Amino acid sequence: MENSNKVTRRRIYSREEVCVGCRLCEIYCIAAHSEYKNDLIKTFKKISKRRPLPGIIVEERKPISFGLQCRHCEEPECVKACITGAMQKNPETGVVTNDAARCIGCWTCILACPYGVIRRDYRERKIASKCDFCMENGGEPVCVKNCPNEALYIGNVVEESNMVEESNRGFREMEGRA
Ligand code: SF4
Ligand code: SF4
């Protein structure tokens, strides 16, 4: 039988068994999206009110912790719900981003997202804030790159017979956990 599985997009996965809850992913995400671009000292010394929100949220209930961010869904509920067209999915990269110029901060996308990964940003005006897969950084997520324990990794999402299976198989095989 023909294998109809196909990779539809990439997303970031978290391995809670090795996450130590240091929140460096949040810190590097904030810096990468600040006006000082990846400069941690300036980002955290020079700006406070203007500091961006992180696209990743570290959930913690000791001893368990893990990073959570946008899954860049195949059929994003946030995009469907957005009343201004600010929330969009790039048809080539599959990445879902929010166009700040069009966002009016109505929070409809926050209600629609099943994963609770969109935040309210009140810095200058009300606006929705979420992970943009570091597209301004060449699509190389700084949270993944800077995790000291490799608790975050990029994996493929595989679509099979109209079902979306979030497949970690390659990673698990690598680790002998398949
Ligand atoms: S914000 Fe939520 S609904 Fe929208 S793509 Fe990300 S995970 Fe999916
Ligand atoms: S991929 Fe980039 S924008 Fe998304 S959480 Fe990681 S560092 Fe933040």
Side-chain angles (χ1 to χ4, degrees), residues 72-81 87-89 94 96 112 114:
H72 303 280
C73 306
E74 185 64 16
E75 295 189 12
E77 295 298 329
C78 59
V79 174
K80 284 187 216 166
M87 201 67 84
Q88 295 169 357
K89 183 174 179 72
V96 175

Side-chain angles (χ1 to χ4, degrees), residues 69-73 76-79 96 112-115 117-118 130:
Q69 75 270 85
C70 174
R71 284 154 166 79
H72 303 280
C73 306
E77 295 298 329
C78 59
V79 174
V96 175
C113 173
Y115 301 107
V117 290
I118 308 178
K130 64 181 280 301

Side-chain angles (χ1 to χ4, degrees), residues 94-111:
V95 171
V96 175
T97 52
N98 186 33
D99 180 352
R102 296 170 81 174
C103 180
I104 57 168
C106 68
W107 310 147
T108 311
C109 57
I110 293 178
L111 291 172

Side-chain angles (χ1 to χ4, degrees), residues 13-19 149-154 168-178:
Y13 292 90
S14 183
R15 291 194 297 150
E16 64 184 43
E17 63 272 28
V18 291
C19 175
N149 235 16
E150 297 183 1
L152 297 169
Y153 65 96
I154 298 170
N168 302 337
R169 199 184 313 147
F171 185 83
R172 291 183 187 281
E173 277 170 359
M174 237 166 57
E175 292 213 317
R177 296 190 286 128

